[in-house]
Amino acid sequence: LVVGVGGIFMPSYRGSDDYVVTPFPVVQGRFKGVTFRPRAGGVALDLIPEAQEAKVGFALGPVVTYSGNRARRIKDDAVRRAGKLNDAVELGVSAGVTAYKVLNPYDQLSFTADVRWDVAGSHKGTTISPSLTYMTPVSRAALVTLNVNARHGDGDFNRYYYSVSSEQSLASGLPMYRAKKGWDSVNVALMGAYDLDANILNGGLSVFAIGMYGKMLNDGKTTPFTRLRGDADQLIGGMGVSYA
């Protein structure tokens, strides 16, 4: 089991060019055959036990995430006048496949896809998030992870976050805009972890850092919240400490 906490420097909302610092937790590991895998603002559970020395593994289980996008800490005056949104809690299913010993005896390459539905009554929509992850140690003390992921939102999801209604337009001065379903973002992230006693095999304290570049797409890019008041290019950086 790995638990950790860190601080992350991120846009104040999806598509913003204003940045805030916020804390974030990390939970990862395996307990009695159930694997915990972190998600942005949540966690996915893999209920399929992995066989020893398996070259290919499969994952299936529930996933839950939380999002406070445009719910608080909005720095842009026009976006703030458009009104705050409600917090979203998404619950769904995660499935994937992992190949082990791809380039060396200790690495792994995973493809996963999450399908999540809003259960908090905010956007009332559905998202699909595929992800490709490569993880490998680079020494006995250090581990690196490269991840590429994207998100597709249905009409309810994209309209909630990217449309500008007549009331929002009147309050903010932004032009009216109506979003439709489609891919709203793609991200590339690199994370590194270093064990403080130089041995990742025996647990203990580690420090980690993460950097991510994201690109808003389609309505995520052309919405006035991004096009006029923000930036389609999104940068995220963070660091923290964990205990295994």
Side-chain angles (χ1 to χ4, degrees):
L1 180 67
V2 180
V3 293
V5 65
I8 192 165
F9 182 72
M10 61 184 293
S12 65
Y13 64 87
R14 299 186 195 117
S16 174
D17 59 359
D18 297 312
Y19 283 76
V20 296
V21 177
T22 185
F24 72 97
V26 176
V27 179
Q28 185 172 343
R30 184 179 296 116
F31 180 73
K32 292 187 177 181
V34 177
T35 301
F36 301 79
R37 304 187 190 278
R39 293 291 188 269
V43 65
L45 303 183
D46 176 12
L47 304 181
I48 300 179
E50 293 187 5
Q52 292 289 336
E53 301 299 324
K55 292 187 177 181
V56 177
F58 298 93
L60 181 65
V63 58
V64 60
T65 62
Y66 161 82
S67 173
N69 185 43
R70 279 178 44 213
R72 58 187 60 82
R73 303 181 71 183
I74 303 172
K75 289 189 173 184
D76 187 277
D77 290 338
V79 179
R80 186 167 56 246
R81 289 196 300 269
K84 295 181 179 180
L85 302 181
N86 295 322
D87 297 324
V89 177
E90 295 180 351
L91 181 65
V93 177
S94 177
V97 59
T98 300
Y100 300 97
K101 303 179 181 181
V102 180
L103 300 178
N104 63 64
Y106 311 105
D107 67 350
Q108 62 184 56
L109 178 66
S110 302
F111 175 78
T112 61
D114 296 352
V115 181
R116 303 190 300 265
W117 297 268
D118 173 36
V119 295
S122 54
H123 61 76
K124 301 178 182 178
T126 303
T127 61
I128 302 173
S129 301
S131 177
L132 185 67
T133 303
Y134 177 73
M135 182 174 65
T136 184
V138 293
S139 72
R140 183 174 287 271
L143 185 75
V144 296
T145 302
L146 177 64
N147 173 265
V148 180
N149 65 82
R151 181 176 56 209
H152 182 280
D154 69 357
D156 289 332
F157 177 90
N158 285 353
R159 282 191 294 270
Y160 187 73
Y161 288 111
Y162 303 126
S163 289
V164 180
S165 67
S166 58
E167 293 81 3
Q168 290 174 319
S169 177
L170 183 63
S172 66
L174 297 173
M176 293 177 59
Y177 185 86
R178 183 170 177 81
K180 56 184 182 298
K181 66 179 181 180
W183 297 97
D184 79 321
S185 61
V186 61
N187 308 287
V188 179
L190 180 66
M191 187 181 78
Y194 183 84
D195 190 279
L196 294 181
D197 71 356
N199 184 2
I200 61 175
L201 301 178
N202 64 359
L205 286 172
S206 297
V207 292
F208 64 88
I210 184 171
M212 189 185 83
Y213 169 75
K215 185 74 172 182
M216 304 300 292
L217 306 174
N218 301 316
D219 287 316
K221 177 181 179 180
T222 57
T223 174
F225 296 122
T226 302
R227 179 172 55 88
L228 299 179
R229 307 303 301 183
D231 194 330
D233 296 307
Q234 303 277 281
L235 297 175
I236 290 177
M239 59 194 316
V241 61
S242 65
Y243 182 80

